[in-house]
Amino acid sequence: MPRSRAPSPATRRLLQELASPWAWRHGYDLARVTGLKSGTLYPLLIRLNADGLLEAEWRASDEPGRPPRHVYRLTQSGLQFAHALAEESPDAAVSPTPESVR
């Protein structure tokens, strides 16, 4: 069941990053580019997946001997939601605030 409250600055930043470019992304890459710590990032990814805005799957590593990794991509409704948020308040999604990174 989707939440009814407004997305946090951390959620907005994550959605912005997942929307551009729209492609499969690893959690480590998302953490690096958004500045979100794993304790913030992974619960957001789980929530977005549960809300139907994100899809996740396991992918084999490109490097031999490395375990499979989870990759994430916005669904069509997630992509539309991210674009709607950006149009609603483009400045709010530009960069994380210190509170959103904690």
Side-chain angles (χ1 to χ4, degrees):
M1 173 182 211
R3 294 173 176 233
S4 60
R5 68 180 192 208
S8 69
T11 302
R12 288 175 178 271
R13 177 72 178 141
L14 179 58
L15 287 169
Q16 176 190 13
E17 189 59 41
L18 284 163
S20 179
W22 186 57
W24 290 100
R25 307 284 295 274
H26 294 281
Y28 176 77
D29 178 49
L30 291 168
R32 186 179 49 79
V33 297
T34 62
L36 299 173
K37 300 209 182 287
S38 61
T40 300
L41 175 66
Y42 290 101
L44 285 175
L45 290 170
I46 291 167
R47 187 177 317 129
L48 291 171
N49 183 260
D51 289 348
L53 299 175
L54 186 75
E55 54 186 326
E57 66 180 46
W58 288 100
R59 291 259 175 103
S61 177
D62 295 336
E63 300 175 31
R66 301 279 317 237
R69 295 167 53 177
H70 241 133
V71 290
Y72 307 91
R73 178 175 74 174
L74 290 175
T75 61
Q76 283 296 328
S77 59
L79 191 58
Q80 291 170 352
F81 182 66
H83 288 305
L85 280 177
E87 289 174 9
E88 171 186 300
S89 56
D91 293 335
V94 171
S95 63
T97 61
E99 295 81 33
S100 68
V101 181
R102 292 184 186 153

